[in-house]
Structures are given as C-alpha cells and as structure tokens.
Amino acid sequence: MASCSTFLSEDQFLCSICLDVFTYPVTISCGQNFCKACITKYWDNSDLCQCPMCKMTFDKRPDFYVNTSISEMAAQFRKSEPLKATISPDLRPTKPEVSCDICTGTKLKALKSCLVCLASYCETHLEPHQRVAAWKKHKLIDPVENLDYRICQKHERPLELFCRTDQTCVCFRCTRTVHNTHDTVTLEDEYKPKKDDLGKLMAEMNQMMEERSRKVQEIKLSVETSKSDAEKDISDSVQVFTALVRSFERIHAEIIEVMEEKQKAAEKQAERLIKDLEQEITELKRRSTELEQLSHTEDHLHLLQSFPSLSTPLHTKDWSEISVHSGLILAAVRRAVSQLEETLNKEMEKLSDPELKRIQQYAVDVTLDPDTAHPGLFLSKDGKQVRLGGIKLVLPDNPERFDLCNNVLGKQGFSSGRFYYEVLVEGKTNWGLGVVRDSINRKGKITASPKNGYWIVVLKNGNKYIASGRSVLSLRQKPQKVGVFVDYEEGLVSFYDVEARSHIYSFTGCTFTKKLYPLFSPFLNDGGKNSVPLLITPVTR
C-alpha cells in the first residue's frame, strides 16, 4: 500500500502556529485546523478571539472539533518522514504572510499595500504604481492585512483625516456631517505630535520599568537583609536562651542542694534532741521509781533523810521553745528567682543592643510643627527644641493647634513603613514622647490612650514612668535619651533607652489606618526643675 505522503502534500499536515506536524488536531468553526494546545495558547495570549489564519473574529471562544482524519494521516507522516528536516527554515514564516489581492490561482507574497486602492500587491502587480504617474501619488506602506479597517464604515471612503475633538480617524465626508464643526487635520499633521506623545509614553514606560526594576532589586536586597538579620536573630536568641536555660538549671540545682543540706541538718538536729530527751526521760523514770518506793515506806527517819535529795530538781532543759525546722525554703526560692531575673535582664540587654542598631537604620529627620504647638511653648528656629516659656503667645487658634495641653507635633507624618527618632530628655523631671493619630482631639482636656489615638510614654515627678492607658513601668535606671520606633504595618510602637541600649516599653498589636505624627510634651517647668527643653538629636549608630 502506498504511503499517504505519496498522494498528499506535507504542508497539509503542518500546524500554522508551531509549524510542526499536527498533534491532536482540531478544527474551529471557520474551518481552519490547528494543534489543540497551539490554538488554546494562542487565544490565551490574545485580547481577541480570532483565527490566526483567516482573521475571523468570534464573539466567544468557539468549540473544538477533533479532526480524526487529519490526526490519522498526520500520525502516518510522523512515522514515515522527519518532516521538520524536509522543510527549509526560510519557508517557515514566523507569522501569516499578506498575499497579493490581484494574483489568481497561487497567491504570491505581497510586497506593498496601497492606502488609496486598499489592496496589497506582489512585486509584479505593484509595477503600475511605480510606472503610472497618477498611481505614483498613491500612499504605499509595508503589506498589512484587513485594509477594510482603513475605510469609513458609514461613507465607504478612506480614513484620511483625524478629528482632534473626538480623537478618531474620519473620512472627508465625515467632516461635512457629524464632524463639520470639529477640529480636523490630515493624518500626516496628527502623526508627528502623536508620535512625539508616543515617544514620551515610551520614555515614561521605560522610566516606570526602570523604577520597578530598581524596586525589584531593592526588595530582593531587603529579603536578603531580612534573611541575614533573621539568621543573626536566631543565633542571638539561641545563645540567650541557652544561657538562660543553663542559669535556670544551675540555680535550680543550687536550690535543691541547699534544701537537701537544710533537711539533713534538721534531721541531725532532731536526732540530737531526741537523744537528749530520751536521756532526760530515763533520768525522770529513775527519779519517779525512787519517789514511788519512798512513798510506800513506813520508816519516818528514812523518808525524812531521803526526801531532800529526791526533791532536788533534775538538770533538764526547757523544751517548750525548742523545735526542728529546715529553714525558710520560700526565702531561698525568692532569692533564686531574683538571681534569675537579674540574669534575664542581662541577657535582654544583650538582645537590645543589636536590636537598637538595626532599628536606628530607619532614622528620619523630624522637625517640630509650629502650627500645632500650644501657645505657651517656645520652639527653636531649627525646629529641634521645645520648652515651656514664661508667657503665652498670641497665636491663631487653628484646628491643628493644642489649646490646653502643652503638646507639639512633628511636621513629618507617616502612613506606612518604619521610622525612628531620638530625643534628649536629660535634666527633665516631666516629659511625654511618642506618636499620635492625625485625627486626635487637640482642644480642651485630653485623655491620652491608644483608644484615643495616643501611643506615648510619660515621666512624672522625676521617677514615675507611665505608658499611655497602661500601668506604671519599672525601669532600672533613668533614661537620658529616648528612642522612638514605629513599624506601621506591624502595629508596633517601641521606646528605648539609647544610652543604656535597653528596651523601655512596646505597644504591640496596634491597628494603624491613618497618618501618625511624632508628639512632644515638655510639661510644666515645675519651679525651674523641669525648664530644660526636649531636644531632637541626630541618630548616631
């Protein structure tokens, strides 16, 4: 039996998309055949659902019909010949070619398309346009398909003008009807500014791509930095917790040893006391027996002579106040817990230092906003210092200004990311620092709490530290410089003792939806004891 390739051309069994023998060929509603995977991928990557060959457009993706005949013949071709090798790469078009509209029979490849004739011509049929004077004036372009879209659908005339009013291409007759009062120009006149706009758009696109490429690199670097920081944190935490566990084990063992030694000492003491008591019991029994015997005598002389010696008190102890105990066990436990607390604080300090160093990289330049300052506050010219003055300034009572509380906000607001700043509080007996929501109440008496948009720490009377809306804080030493750190997305506001490299307090689990501003409150002068200003200082790592 003759091979099917003897009677049919190989081109009949090639998919026009992948240029290979059909694999699972399907027929679409226009009659064209493609590999199922090829046509599916083609439509997935296209905005229009149209045939790649005849350009028929479908309202919705048509159903596939399996072409069993082509499938069987394609399988035979695949077995009989390596078709890819027999087809010259030069004959494999990368995209559908435009055919000459004049050729009959076998259509040759079009060399040019005429915008006047609205037809495409091969080299032979293009010759009149190069020879005839009238045709030489026609506009020739590289061959394109679907020249119909260059015709006005209403007047069937070439689209050779552009309506700037409606931003659309029109024909000459359109300018005499719907567009008669519009600003219309030739396509050539509009081409140049539009091409310039296109260049600007391309430049903008390139800039946007460059910005996003830089952002990609920034995010990649951030991930690497985060990974490095996480590894360092894990290593530090392992060391800290290992040290804590060892400390717990050591102190626990010491407590057990102390308890056991105390118990042994108590047991030895009990043994000695029991021995002494037993000896006294023996002496008392002997004396009791002698007294019992004497009580039965009828010899007057014997009783009178024996009684003085038997009535003499025995040498015994007063046992009423004597007891056995192993000591105050709870006191030993309390001392051990105190040692553990001290160890824990030392280990926490080890963590705070690297933590603060990483946080300081988010330092921002904060300056005070005079439009928010209470009239009694004096701000330095550089916006870095604030103190309570001796007089109340006459200032506009704008909505942003505090009118009762001695507060001032920073100019810079933050609605995302992380930021950090430091404030010198040395020499002050009262102060307040932190961040607030931009929508806080600034008039009259204010209750500073997270619920009301305040996340601050306050010092009162020189030694009482309070987190807004929370309990009194216990600090081992008085901070001279306070660092404030905010992670907007994480919902975190933390305070640090910069000099001691230690953590003061953190508000966690916060939900921020509005812009946050730094808050500064120097409080009253307290008879001159609290007159030094709050000073925003540069961050040095």
Side-chain angles (χ1 to χ4, degrees):
M1 181 176 176
S3 169
C4 61
S5 60
T6 306
F7 304 102
L8 298 173
S9 169
E10 296 168 354
D11 294 342
Q12 294 175 270
F13 302 99
L14 294 182
C15 172
S16 60
I17 297 178
C18 67
L19 304 178
D20 201 352
V21 179
F22 285 116
T23 301
Y24 200 83
V26 294
T27 303
I28 60 177
S29 53
C30 64
Q32 300 291 344
N33 299 306
F34 306 95
C35 298
K36 183 179 180 181
C38 292
I39 188 62
T40 300
K41 184 177 180 181
Y42 179 84
W43 283 337
D44 288 343
N45 296 327
S46 175
D47 294 330
L48 292 176
C49 186
Q50 64 176 195
C51 174
M53 294 296 292
C54 68
K55 302 301 180 183
M56 179 183 286
T57 302
F58 309 103
D59 294 333
K60 63 178 183 178
R61 188 174 294 193
D63 296 328
F64 297 134
Y65 301 94
V66 179
N67 196 320
T68 55
S69 299
I70 293 182
S71 180
E72 293 174 358
M73 293 181 184
Q76 290 295 327
F77 270 111
R78 195 178 290 277
K79 291 179 181 178
S80 60
E81 299 181 50
L83 293 180
K84 273 192 175 180
T86 64
I87 302 174
S88 171
D90 296 333
L91 298 179
R92 296 178 188 165
T94 58
K95 59 181 179 178
E97 295 181 348
V98 178
S99 301
C100 177
D101 293 326
I102 310 302
C103 289
T104 58
T106 303
K107 298 240 180 223
L108 297 179
K109 178 182 177 181
L111 188 64
K112 291 289 183 179
S113 293
C114 178
L115 297 182
V116 178
C117 303
L118 295 176
S120 298
Y121 301 99
C122 65
E123 185 176 3
T124 301
H125 293 115
L126 184 64
E127 188 269 338
H129 281 77
Q130 300 169 336
R131 176 174 48 82
V132 180
W135 287 10
K136 284 183 178 180
K137 298 179 182 180
H138 289 190
K139 179 68 173 178
L140 297 177
I141 61 173
D142 289 334
V144 294
E145 293 182 326
N146 297 331
L147 287 168
D148 290 344
Y149 83 94
R150 297 174 179 270
I151 297 292
C152 176
Q153 299 298 315
K154 185 175 182 180
H155 302 114
E156 296 185 353
R157 299 290 295 272
L159 298 171
E160 48 194 5
L161 299 170
F162 183 80
C163 175
R164 287 176 171 169
T165 305
D166 292 341
Q167 291 293 300
T168 184
C169 295
V170 297
C171 70
F172 181 74
R173 291 187 63 181
C174 289
T175 62
R176 295 186 176 184
T177 56
V178 178
H179 301 268
N180 62 334
T181 61
H182 294 181
D183 180 15
T184 56
V185 295
T186 64
L187 296 180
E188 288 78 5
D189 289 341
E190 187 64 19
Y191 174 82
K192 179 64 168 61
K194 280 292 188 289
K195 193 166 185 181
D196 291 342
D197 291 342
L198 182 63
K200 293 177 182 178
L201 284 173
M202 291 173 63
E204 290 177 5
M205 292 300 108
N206 288 334
Q207 182 178 354
M208 290 173 68
M209 287 189 290
E210 289 177 2
E211 290 174 354
R212 280 149 182 76
S213 295
R214 287 195 296 268
K215 196 65 178 179
V216 167
Q217 296 303 317
E218 180 184 326
I219 292 173
K220 287 182 179 179
L221 180 61
S222 175
V223 170
E224 290 299 319
T225 303
S226 176
K227 182 180 179 182
S228 176
D229 289 345
E231 291 174 351
K232 182 67 168 58
D233 288 342
I234 291 172
S235 175
D236 291 343
S237 66
V238 168
Q239 293 180 12
V240 168
F241 281 101
T242 300
L244 287 175
V245 169
R246 288 174 179 171
S247 181
F248 271 84
E249 291 175 345
R250 176 179 57 78
I251 294 176
H252 187 211
E254 290 175 356
I255 290 176
I256 292 175
E257 184 179 357
V258 168
M259 291 179 178
E260 290 176 345
E261 288 177 354
K262 285 181 176 294
Q263 180 61 29
K264 289 178 181 178
E267 291 175 358
K268 290 181 178 179
Q269 181 189 15
E271 290 176 359
R272 290 195 300 271
L273 293 175
I274 290 172
K275 184 177 181 181
D276 292 343
L277 284 167
E278 288 177 344
Q279 288 178 351
E280 288 189 3
I281 290 171
T282 301
E283 289 295 321
L284 289 170
K285 284 183 177 180
R286 182 181 60 78
R287 176 66 62 88
S288 176
T289 301
E290 290 176 351
L291 290 173
E292 176 69 21
Q293 291 175 351
L294 185 61
S295 68
H296 295 291
T297 184
E298 295 295 335
D299 186 343
H300 300 112
L301 179 62
H302 176 65
L303 187 147
L304 293 173
Q305 289 178 338
S306 300
F307 182 79
S309 61
L310 293 177
S311 62
T312 302
L314 293 173
H315 295 291
T316 58
K317 296 179 181 179
D318 181 5
W319 294 93
S320 61
E321 300 298 329
I322 296 177
S323 62
V324 177
H325 56 81
S326 58
L328 297 176
I329 302 299
L330 289 179
V333 174
R334 190 173 291 109
R335 286 194 299 273
V337 171
S338 179
Q339 292 178 18
L340 287 174
E341 184 179 3
E342 184 177 348
T343 302
L344 180 60
N345 288 331
K346 289 180 180 178
E347 295 300 329
M348 288 296 292
E349 287 178 3
K350 292 180 182 179
L351 286 178
S352 296
D353 184 53
E355 178 187 12
L356 188 56
K357 285 181 179 178
R358 282 198 295 272
I359 285 173
Q360 287 176 327
Q361 67 179 312
Y362 299 104
V364 294
D365 184 19
V366 176
T367 53
L368 302 172
D369 184 0
D371 291 336
T372 66
H374 179 274
L377 297 180
F378 279 74
L379 277 59
S380 61
K381 290 183 179 181
D382 62 0
K384 297 295 184 180
Q385 299 183 42
V386 57
R387 63 180 177 83
L388 188 67
I391 60 174
K392 191 173 182 179
L393 302 175
V394 179
L395 298 172
D397 188 20
N398 51 286
E400 295 82 13
R401 190 180 306 282
F402 292 92
D403 66 349
L404 184 61
C405 296
N406 297 319
N407 296 337
V408 60
L409 301 184
K411 285 185 178 180
Q412 297 76 16
F414 304 88
S415 56
S416 64
R418 300 168 176 171
F419 62 93
Y420 173 83
Y421 61 93
E422 294 178 351
V423 182
L424 187 67
V425 297
E426 185 178 4
K428 295 193 67 63
T429 57
N430 296 273
W431 52 258
L433 294 173
V435 293
V436 295
R437 196 165 46 220
D438 65 347
S439 59
I440 58 169
N441 175 36
R442 309 183 190 197
K443 307 299 181 183
K445 187 177 180 180
I446 295 171
T447 301
S449 68
K451 181 181 178 181
N452 294 332
Y454 285 78
W455 294 270
I456 63 174
V457 167
V458 174
L459 168 64
K460 288 186 176 181
N461 304 323
N463 58 7
K464 188 177 181 181
Y465 295 89
I466 304 172
S468 58
R470 309 295 171 95
S471 58
V472 177
L473 307 179
S474 177
L475 303 184
R476 291 193 298 167
Q477 60 187 51
K478 186 176 183 179
Q480 304 301 309
K481 184 186 290 186
V482 176
V484 182
F485 171 71
V486 177
D487 188 330
Y488 194 96
E489 283 74 20
E490 189 69 20
L492 174 70
V493 181
S494 294
F495 299 82
Y496 295 86
D497 182 338
V498 179
E499 303 297 334
R501 317 297 290 179
S502 61
H503 174 258
I504 296 175
Y505 185 79
S506 285
F507 294 94
T508 59
C510 309
T511 301
F512 303 131
T513 56
K514 297 182 180 295
K515 189 171 286 189
L516 300 177
Y517 287 88
L519 176 136
F520 307 84
S521 181
F523 278 69
L524 299 176
N525 284 337
D526 192 19
K529 297 178 183 178
N530 192 44
S531 60
V532 295
L534 288 174
L535 173 61
I536 303 171
T537 61
V539 175
T540 55
R541 301 177 61 186

